[in-house]
Amino acid sequence: LLQAHEDVTAAEDMFQQALTVDPAHMTAKCNLAHLAHHHRANLARAHQLYREVLRTDPKNLVAISSMATVAAEIGDCPEEVEHLLLQAIEIAPDDADCLLNCAVLKWEYKNEREEAKTLLNRCLQVSPLNVGALCYKGLWGITERGDATDALNLLRKAALLAPKGKDEPAQLAIDWLEAKAREADAQQKEREAAHQKHSAAPPGASGVP
């Protein structure tokens, strides 16, 4: 509740008190790490706290997945981040966030596109209207085929099915993906125009007066 109201200092004090009473209170430590990461922008502190959680509870899914995100932001090697995410997926094979994060890692950092698409499809099987996953589905569709139609249709469905007042993430995703599609289309037209211009030039013409 305190986190929801952005009272970060009060929330930190509360979780610290919980740890004083019970040093093995891993939920409190995970919450402190979350605050350090998302509200204090203190990646080193968040990384340290998640590592402490995992020393006590090696299969803590929240700590594993969150530490992978922090490690990626710090700039740790993709192999370490991938190891953490695969460990999380082994513990919870149907965790949509872990599947999505691992898919993005494989696409963006390791260029393992087929494995990335497989993981993304698994994420969408678990969470068919996952806005983040649909954004990547559309972006990768643009990259490979110049087409984001399927993902846009699903995002529009997600916006329609969202509870009243909760459709903003899907609407923002639609706007973002449509802009990406327009940008890709403009670039494709520029390439085609350049190719036609080159094809129409007389043999040996250099374009220099």
Side-chain angles (χ1 to χ4, degrees):
L1 181 61
L2 288 168
Q3 289 185 72
H5 284 82
E6 303 294 327
D7 193 347
V8 178
T9 301
E12 287 173 331
D13 290 344
M14 183 182 72
F15 296 135
Q16 195 61 61
Q17 287 172 15
L19 284 169
T20 300
V21 174
D22 179 9
H25 196 320
M26 293 301 102
T27 300
K29 190 165 284 190
C30 279
N31 282 331
L32 274 175
H34 175 87
L35 291 173
H37 180 196
H38 294 284
H39 295 271
R40 299 296 191 193
N42 190 338
L43 295 176
R45 172 71 170 154
H47 194 275
Q48 174 193 342
L49 287 166
Y50 285 130
R51 190 173 292 281
E52 289 175 6
V53 171
L54 291 174
R55 287 197 194 104
T56 302
D57 183 6
K59 292 188 176 183
N60 188 301
L61 182 63
V62 171
I64 294 170
S65 181
S66 299
M67 186 170 168
T69 302
V70 172
E73 291 184 26
I74 290 173
D76 286 356
C77 67
E79 286 72 21
E80 179 180 348
V81 179
E82 181 183 26
H83 171 74
L84 287 165
L85 289 171
L86 290 175
Q87 185 181 352
I89 291 171
E90 185 176 346
I91 295 169
D94 293 333
D95 187 282
D97 288 338
C98 292
L99 290 166
L100 175 57
N101 287 337
C102 198
V104 173
L105 174 80
K106 286 183 175 291
W107 183 285
E108 301 284 348
Y109 294 98
K110 304 196 73 178
N111 200 32
E112 296 175 357
R113 293 189 170 186
E114 292 306 314
E115 290 187 40
K117 287 188 286 187
T118 298
L119 286 164
L120 188 69
N121 287 334
R122 281 178 59 188
C123 173
L124 288 168
Q125 286 174 358
V126 173
S127 180
L129 298 179
N130 184 301
V131 171
L134 290 172
C135 281
Y136 280 105
K137 179 181 176 68
L139 186 61
W140 297 351
I142 291 170
T143 300
E144 291 194 322
R145 305 182 307 278
D147 179 31
T149 303
D150 290 346
L152 280 168
N153 286 339
L154 287 169
L155 281 168
R156 292 184 184 108
K157 182 178 179 181
L160 286 171
L161 294 177
K164 187 176 181 180
K166 301 289 186 179
D167 63 338
E168 184 178 7
Q171 293 291 353
L172 289 172
I174 290 167
D175 293 343
W176 177 81
L177 197 52
E178 286 178 338
K180 288 290 183 183
R182 288 193 296 270
E183 180 183 319
D185 185 56
Q187 290 172 350
Q188 178 62 27
K189 287 178 178 176
E190 286 178 7
R191 287 192 293 268
E192 290 173 355
H195 177 73
Q196 290 175 357
K197 183 177 180 181
H198 177 76
S199 300
S206 63
V208 179

